[in-house]
């Protein structure tokens, strides 16, 4: 292993080990979700819930 590769490996290992410390910086790498995508997710969830209730109704609706 070349000395340069050894240095890169050690530096990467040290950074990974320090990321588990309680005072490690938190980096939010997710992009903010658009309002349109939030609406689409809600519509999809409601649609899937309705389909699931038709296939197998919840006990509260069956024995109520």
């Amino acid at each position: 292993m070349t000395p340069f590769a050894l240095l890169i490996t050690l530096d990467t290992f040290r950074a990974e080990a320090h990321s588990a410390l309680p005072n490690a910086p938190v980096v939010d790498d997710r992009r903010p979700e658009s309002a349109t995508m939030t609406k689409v997710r809600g519509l999809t969830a409601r649609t899937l819930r309705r389909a699931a209730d038709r296939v197998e109704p919840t006990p509260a609706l069956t024995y109520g």
Side-chain angles (χ1 to χ4, degrees):
M1 187 177 255
T2 63
F4 185 69
L6 182 64
L7 289 175
I8 290 175
T9 304
L10 289 176
D11 188 44
T12 304
F13 177 75
R14 184 179 52 79
E16 183 72 22
H18 284 151
S19 70
L21 294 175
N23 61 349
V26 177
V27 178
D28 186 21
D29 56 352
R30 292 185 348 163
R31 293 182 307 187
E33 206 168 75
S34 68
T36 306
M37 193 59 171
T38 304
K39 290 178 184 179
V40 169
R41 283 182 190 259
L43 176 66
T44 305
R46 285 190 302 274
T47 304
L48 288 173
R49 180 75 259 164
R50 284 188 200 121
D53 283 341
R54 285 180 184 242
V55 172
E56 186 174 335
T58 58
L61 297 175
T62 307
Y63 302 111

